[in-house]
């Protein structure tokens, strides 16, 4: 056998070997809730560092957007896992979608409102008589109206931009405190923000799967949770590698913007309860029960459910 033929056979064998290894991985699709961004950093970290592959998973991260509903994707089998919030999961389960949250991405939702520094709105009760730009049907807004007995507060559709905010000194809009304040301040606006979680309405940001997938593939769920939480610990320790990748995937972002978001996640203690990385992913039954009670009082839930059916704690310890 000539050296040329031997080398060719060796290369073919190597390709076959790698192809076989790839084919042995379990394909998993993960549907995010928005375009690639630092709020997804731990998942991309797990993918880039091969943590999913080490668990035997071939994970595809599918970007979300304003017209993609992760709950529907998972319910219909278009994805095995998705990102959402605990209030949306409770609502989906009440509507008959057999979903179950498997871990928390964030301990508190960075959802809030933003107003100009000279606005007369200093607390949520001050929204009386004002207009706020929000996503139509937002449950947290229904809670604010009920909690603060607001009789004369008006809604206008959110535009997912700060253009109107910059042009109107009276403009108030929904935001993530990890995102829009960066752009507003960069444009020269002097702003203030209020966090919805400070009102007592405090959902988790979670990742979830279907109840049937948990039943049929508990090993895959455990592996996905373990690798994902490992990725989040790494990302919060050093975001550089993933932020470079996010910039490639979503060129609309900038390095300064991503650094702001990462720092806001860290300073706001959104990822870890009690600033303890060993507790990442943690969820508490009393918070799920309290949220279920709030949604029931608001008549958001179409039927009464046991909130414990909307989440499971069995996989969180596997991630530590």
């Amino acid at each position: 056998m000539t050296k040329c033929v031997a080398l060719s056979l060796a290369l073919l064998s190597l390709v076959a070997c790698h192809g076989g290894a790839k084919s042995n991985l379990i394909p998993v699709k993960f549907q995010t809730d928005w375009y690639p961004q630092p709020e997804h950093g731990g998942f991309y970290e797990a993918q880039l560092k091969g943590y999913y592959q080490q668990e035997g998973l071939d994970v595809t991260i599918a970007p979300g957007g304003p017209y993609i509903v992760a709950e529907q994707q998972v319910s219909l089998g278009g994805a095995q896992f998705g990102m959402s919030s605990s209030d949306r999961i409770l609502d989906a389960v009440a509507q008959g979608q057999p979903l179950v949250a498997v871990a928390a991405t964030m301990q508190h939702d960075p959802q809030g409102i933003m107003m100009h520094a000279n606005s007369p709105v200093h607390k949520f009760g001050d929204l009386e008589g004002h207009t706020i730009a929000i996503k139509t049907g937002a449950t947290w807004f229904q809670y604010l109206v009920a909690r603060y007995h607001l009789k004369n507060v008006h809604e206008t559709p959110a535009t997912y931009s700060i253009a109107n905010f910059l042009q109107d000194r009276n403009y108030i809009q929904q935001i993530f405190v990890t995102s829009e304040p960066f752009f507003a301040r960069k444009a020269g606006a002097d702003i203030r923000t209020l966090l919805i979680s400070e009102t007592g309405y405090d959902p988790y940001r979670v990742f979830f799967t279907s109840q049937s997938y948990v039943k049929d593939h508990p090993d895959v769920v455990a592996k996905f949770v373990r690798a994902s939480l490992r990725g989040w610990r790494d990302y919060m320790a050093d975001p550089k590698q993933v932020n470079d990748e996010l910039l490639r995937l979503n060129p609309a972002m900038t390095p300064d913007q991503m650094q702001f978001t990462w720092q806001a996640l860290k300073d706001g203690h959104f990822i870890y309860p009690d600033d303890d990385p060993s507790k990442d992913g943690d969820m508490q039954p009393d918070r799920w029960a309290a949220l279920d009670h709030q949604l029931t009082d608001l008549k958001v839930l179409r039927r009464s459910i046991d909130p414990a059916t909307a989440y499971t704690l069995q996989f969180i310890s596997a991630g530590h």
Side-chain angles (χ1 to χ4, degrees):
M1 182 182 296
T2 66
K3 288 184 179 180
C4 182
V5 172
L7 180 59
S8 297
L9 289 175
L11 288 173
L12 287 173
S13 176
L14 183 62
V15 170
C17 178
H18 279 276
K22 181 77 171 178
S23 66
N24 288 333
L25 299 177
I26 299 171
V28 170
K29 183 178 179 181
F30 175 53
Q31 179 64 63
T32 71
D33 56 355
W34 201 248
Y35 306 116
Q37 57 183 338
E39 287 90 340
H40 308 152
F43 302 107
Y44 283 99
E45 185 88 42
Q47 188 179 59
L48 280 177
K49 288 192 172 177
Y51 295 161
Y52 291 128
Q53 282 197 335
Q54 291 173 24
E55 294 284 358
L57 306 180
D58 179 16
V59 175
T60 298
I61 301 178
Y67 307 110
I68 295 177
V69 181
E71 294 87 348
Q72 291 180 0
Q73 290 288 316
V74 174
S75 292
L76 298 174
Q80 286 70 51
F81 296 91
M83 289 182 74
S84 190
S85 55
S86 52
D87 53 352
R88 287 176 60 101
I89 295 299
L90 285 168
D91 189 22
V93 171
Q95 293 182 47
Q97 298 182 55
L99 303 177
V100 56
V102 294
T105 306
M106 297 187 201
Q107 292 297 305
H108 306 283
D109 197 329
Q111 182 76 64
I113 63 172
M114 179 172 71
M115 68 287 297
H116 290 274
N118 61 355
S119 169
V121 175
H122 291 270
K123 54 186 184 297
F124 288 104
D126 295 337
L127 286 172
E128 185 70 20
H130 292 273
T131 298
I132 179 172
I134 66 169
K135 182 178 180 180
T136 302
T139 303
W140 59 264
F141 183 71
Q142 297 178 49
Y143 175 82
L144 292 184
V145 169
R147 169 74 170 76
Y148 296 100
H149 309 290
L150 302 174
K151 305 296 184 183
N152 184 31
V153 62
H154 307 284
E155 302 174 45
T156 189
T159 62
Y160 304 102
S161 165
I162 63 165
N164 291 338
F165 182 87
L166 295 175
Q167 295 171 5
D168 184 351
R169 304 294 295 180
N170 297 313
Y171 201 80
I172 303 171
Q173 71 175 81
Q174 72 171 46
I175 59 160
F176 270 9
V177 296
T178 54
S179 180
E180 284 86 355
F182 168 82
F183 298 103
R185 291 182 177 125
K186 188 174 182 180
D190 191 8
I191 67 162
R192 286 185 287 103
T193 63
L194 292 172
L195 266 174
I196 304 301
S197 61
E198 294 175 347
T199 69
Y201 188 79
D202 193 15
Y204 293 104
R205 303 296 295 186
V206 300
F207 54 106
F208 66 94
T209 186
S210 65
Q211 294 178 6
S212 62
Y213 200 79
V214 166
K215 179 181 178 181
D216 297 339
H217 306 285
D219 55 331
V220 176
V221 178
K223 291 175 178 179
F224 184 79
V225 171
R226 183 162 52 239
S228 297
L229 295 184
R230 185 182 176 190
W232 271 107
R233 289 192 290 273
D234 283 8
Y235 181 68
M236 293 311 297
D238 182 1
K240 186 180 186 311
Q241 180 182 14
V242 166
N243 283 356
D244 288 345
E245 175 67 5
L246 292 173
L247 186 60
R248 185 187 69 82
L249 294 172
N250 186 0
M253 294 190 299
T254 67
D256 287 349
Q257 172 196 352
M258 289 186 290
Q259 180 62 31
F260 171 89
T261 298
W262 178 84
Q263 195 67 50
L265 290 172
K266 194 176 185 68
D267 293 346
H269 314 295
F270 288 108
I271 305 300
Y272 305 134
D274 306 319
D275 290 332
D276 184 352
S278 70
K279 295 182 180 179
D280 56 351
D282 186 61
M283 299 186 294
Q284 294 296 321
D286 58 344
R287 278 184 59 187
W288 279 91
L291 186 60
D292 175 75
H293 182 72
Q294 290 169 333
L295 295 177
T296 300
D297 284 350
L298 291 171
K299 296 181 172 53
V300 169
L301 302 185
R302 296 186 181 182
R303 63 184 176 90
S304 177
I305 64 169
D306 178 358
T309 63
Y311 67 94
T312 177
L313 306 178
Q314 72 181 93
F315 302 107
I316 297 173
S317 60
H320 298 147

